[in-house]
Amino acid sequence: MPPQEPPVIDMANRNLRDGVNRCPRCGSTEIRLRPETGMLTCSFCRAEWSEARVEEQFGLGAGHGELQGTQVASGAANLCYDTSTALTLKCGGCGAEVVVDVAHAMTARCHWCRHVLSINSQVPNGAVPDAVLPFAMTHAQAVAKIREFASKRRLFADSTFKREFVPENVLGVYMPYMVVDARACSEVHGRGEITTRRYTRGSGKNQQTYYDADVYQVSRQVSFTVDDLTMESSAQRAHIDTKVNTNNIINAILPFDTKNAVQWNAGYLTGFTSEKRDMDVSCLQPVLEDQLMSIGRSQVQPSVSRYDRGVRWDAEKLDVHGTRWVSMYLPVWLYSYYHVERGRAMIHYIAVNARTGETMGSIPVAKGKLFFASFSLGTVVTAITVAILLAMLL
Amino acid sequence: MIQLLAEILPQAALLAADSSDGDGGELALLLAGPASGIAFYWFVYRHYRNIDKSHDFERKTAIGAKPVQGWEQKIDTIKGTRERNTKGRNESTHRTRVKRVE
């Protein structure tokens, strides 16, 4: 018997179709996002409008306590790797046929009549998510944030980095994420200890502190719901290893105000770049379970505060009762710097959350300079302590 | 820089004092120099590279939890140990996985 497919929440934007995506007031196709307002704007008549918020449109803000099984939104469905990345659209303006390579862009301009053609249907290659959270910070604001972040880290920054630092090169990127609601139950078992007596033995330099303690077998269980847990759905970004990459920087600017995400419209991407999702729900399930177990452990921590010597959890259990998966594009201003150190290359990121302004980054360090400063400090402190010791002895 | 030093020096002194619990203050004072140098290097490196930063999803995600249930039973007594803490305590390291049971 074939495995049962999870139920799908259809989140495709039915108001739009592939091809000419017109301004509702004047019919122009010159549509782009205005970050100052978070609205789509027409470059001709200045009309402003927005797609519907998915939170209300699809009831994503409710029903967490009743989640059962795995529910997957249509834009988060399994990817088809054999899908052709070239789609042919018939221009609604002049009738010409225009090919859009959806591997690289979701819009293309008709070379005959100059209309902008958009891909709005959910092609199963990860390029069209269920929802998009529009940029709310302008390029100038992002540049200021990055400059401020780097200026606080100038003294020990690598000299080449300082010389080549051009924050104006920051790029607006829509990153692919899975936003998950979940209902789960976590259980942990271990042992905890409570101090019953603290005393010293010996005298002078041989004085030692000893402890008596009671040992307990401890178990805890907590049921909880999680609203909008956000996980990277690009394998490259999800691979976080600070020895070889700085992807943790992009991870650290989470969370986003995902409650304000709106239905897909290719117009939101105009002027920005985007990365495609390449991970399915099944790939992300272990990541989700790992994070739910961490949340469970965090939730039970206050309940074991009486064990003053600590608790050692030896076993943990997780029952996931229900999950709901929605794919989203979230906005990031990303500054990249390619740095090679002793033959090892690494891309250092400074990332700005384009909704909250949260900024995090990795600045390459001038290790020789830092070592010299640390050694000098250690020498000065040693000289002071030796002087104190000599004064005590004399 | 001054802010960093103010943060580091007391910690370096604590580190040195920890290493000499009951063995005399002289060794602690001697270790304070190298300890402060190492601590300074580590703090500055971390401040620039932010290798310890990641999404704090345990606290920054909206979680609706029911009251924690649990039980405990005294199983043993320890007498005269020099260990300050339970060996392998991990109640605050939420992301370190332990054996998963079904």
Side-chain angles (χ1 to χ4, degrees):
Chain A
M1 197 174 156
Q4 200 178 353
E5 286 290 319
V8 172
I9 310 164
D10 187 359
M11 290 181 64
N13 193 340
R14 300 282 170 219
N15 298 326
L16 302 171
R17 57 191 174 83
D18 288 342
V20 174
N21 193 10
R22 293 184 184 279
C23 163
R25 192 202 280 172
C26 73
S28 160
T29 57
E30 297 294 329
I31 297 164
R32 60 187 302 123
L33 171 70
R34 192 163 164 246
E36 292 88 343
T37 58
M39 312 269 274
L40 292 172
T41 184
C42 171
S43 301
F44 278 97
C45 71
R46 302 289 169 200
E48 287 195 341
W49 71 100
S50 178
E51 293 295 336
R53 285 184 5 146
V54 291
E55 186 83 357
E56 289 86 22
Q57 185 90 349
F58 299 97
L60 302 179
H64 298 84
E66 291 81 46
L67 280 173
Q68 198 71 45
T70 306
Q71 299 170 29
V72 181
S74 46
N78 285 349
L79 302 168
C80 291
Y81 296 98
D82 56 350
T83 305
S84 168
T85 58
L87 287 186
T88 305
L89 301 182
K90 197 172 185 69
C91 175
C94 67
E97 291 200 331
V98 178
V99 177
V100 183
D101 181 5
V102 292
H104 301 103
M106 299 311 289
T107 55
R109 196 178 282 278
C110 172
H111 42 273
W112 296 106
C113 70
R114 311 299 292 161
H115 269 124
V116 177
L117 307 181
S118 308
I119 304 293
N120 288 310
S121 60
Q122 292 182 326
V123 281
N125 69 347
V128 179
D130 294 301
V132 56
L133 188 61
F135 273 76
M137 285 185 76
T138 61
H139 180 266
Q141 288 170 324
V143 169
K145 284 274 183 190
I146 289 167
R147 198 184 292 283
E148 182 192 355
F149 182 89
S151 68
K152 288 178 182 167
R153 292 162 177 82
R154 276 191 64 82
L155 187 59
F156 293 107
D158 181 81
S159 55
T160 320
F161 171 82
K162 281 194 277 191
R163 203 168 48 245
E164 296 174 352
F165 180 60
V166 186
E168 287 75 14
N169 288 347
V170 65
L171 275 181
V173 187
Y174 279 107
M175 295 282 186
Y177 290 86
M178 282 285 194
V179 178
V180 187
D181 295 333
R183 183 168 71 91
C185 179
S186 173
E187 213 174 289
V188 277
H189 306 277
R191 55 183 272 167
E193 294 176 9
I194 299 174
T195 308
T196 51
R197 191 171 160 232
R198 181 180 187 272
Y199 50 97
T200 54
R201 283 182 190 154
S203 58
K205 288 183 179 177
N206 297 320
Q207 195 175 54
Q208 305 279 8
T209 305
Y210 290 86
Y211 305 88
D212 291 349
D214 285 341
V215 182
Y216 290 82
Q217 182 72 43
V218 187
S219 294
R220 291 289 184 270
Q221 186 199 59
V222 63
S223 295
F224 58 93
T225 58
V226 179
D227 188 6
D228 285 4
L229 186 63
T230 308
M231 296 184 294
E232 288 87 356
S233 60
S234 149
Q236 192 196 344
R237 299 291 168 213
H239 175 233
I240 294 175
D241 181 353
T242 55
K243 290 189 186 75
V244 294
N245 63 47
T246 62
N247 286 334
N248 70 305
I249 296 300
I250 304 171
N251 180 261
I253 61 167
L254 290 169
F256 287 80
D257 55 331
T258 44
K259 300 280 170 212
N260 292 317
V262 295
Q263 257 192 307
W264 170 259
N265 183 322
Y268 285 110
L269 267 64
T270 308
F272 302 101
T273 60
S274 60
E275 287 190 6
K276 274 199 314 181
R277 170 172 77 90
D278 58 4
M279 294 174 85
D280 286 332
V281 169
S282 56
C283 299
L284 287 163
Q285 194 80 37
V287 184
L288 172 71
E289 291 185 5
D290 190 77
Q291 295 198 0
L292 290 177
M293 282 193 278
S294 299
I295 289 170
R297 290 262 292 274
S298 158
Q299 289 296 314
V300 302
Q301 190 185 348
S303 74
V304 295
S305 57
R306 66 186 283 251
Y307 298 95
D308 61 340
R309 287 172 54 81
V311 174
R312 187 187 71 225
W313 297 124
D314 295 316
E316 58 191 333
K317 183 182 176 191
L318 179 78
D319 288 322
V320 182
H321 303 302
T323 53
R324 181 165 53 203
W325 301 73
V326 174
S327 68
M328 273 188 204
Y329 268 167
L330 302 180
V332 178
W333 283 107
L334 197 61
Y335 181 78
S336 314
Y337 179 74
Y338 183 80
H339 180 65
V340 181
E341 187 181 21
R342 291 180 191 167
R344 282 181 58 193
M346 189 184 269
I347 297 176
H348 291 262
Y349 292 123
I350 302 177
V352 182
N353 181 320
R355 298 288 300 189
T356 64
E358 177 79 19
T359 307
M360 185 49 64
S362 169
I363 308 279
V365 176
K367 286 183 180 166
K369 191 176 175 182
L370 178 57
F371 178 80
F372 180 74
S374 307
F375 183 78
S376 304
L377 176 71
T379 307
V380 170
V381 175
T382 304
I384 294 168
T385 53
V386 167
I388 293 170
L389 277 175
L390 285 173
M392 283 164 65
L393 288 172
L394 293 174
Chain B
M1 175 91 168
I2 293 165
Q3 196 184 347
L4 268 176
L5 279 174
E7 197 179 343
I8 289 160
L9 288 175
Q11 296 204 26
L14 270 177
L15 197 70
D18 267 6
S19 67
S20 64
D21 184 24
D23 295 331
E26 294 90 347
L27 183 63
L29 273 173
L30 279 175
L31 284 175
S36 60
I38 293 166
F40 179 77
Y41 188 96
W42 175 240
F43 270 81
V44 173
Y45 187 79
R46 212 174 57 168
H47 180 62
Y48 277 60
R49 293 273 282 103
N50 287 305
I51 50 176
D52 57 329
K53 300 292 190 302
S54 67
H55 175 31
D56 189 7
F57 58 85
E58 295 96 336
R59 291 194 307 115
K60 290 186 176 174
T61 309
I63 295 159
K66 290 185 177 165
V68 175
Q69 310 282 316
W71 62 270
E72 48 237 333
Q73 187 183 7
K74 187 177 167 185
I75 54 168
D76 200 2
T77 303
I78 298 172
K79 295 281 182 196
T81 177
R82 288 194 62 201
E83 297 288 335
R84 279 186 195 180
N85 296 305
T86 304
K87 196 175 175 187
R89 73 181 291 181
N90 59 6
E91 81 271 19
S92 59
T93 52
H94 310 134
R95 297 187 188 181
T96 308
R97 295 275 71 85
V98 295
K99 184 184 171 194
R100 188 167 174 186
V101 291
E102 294 304 320

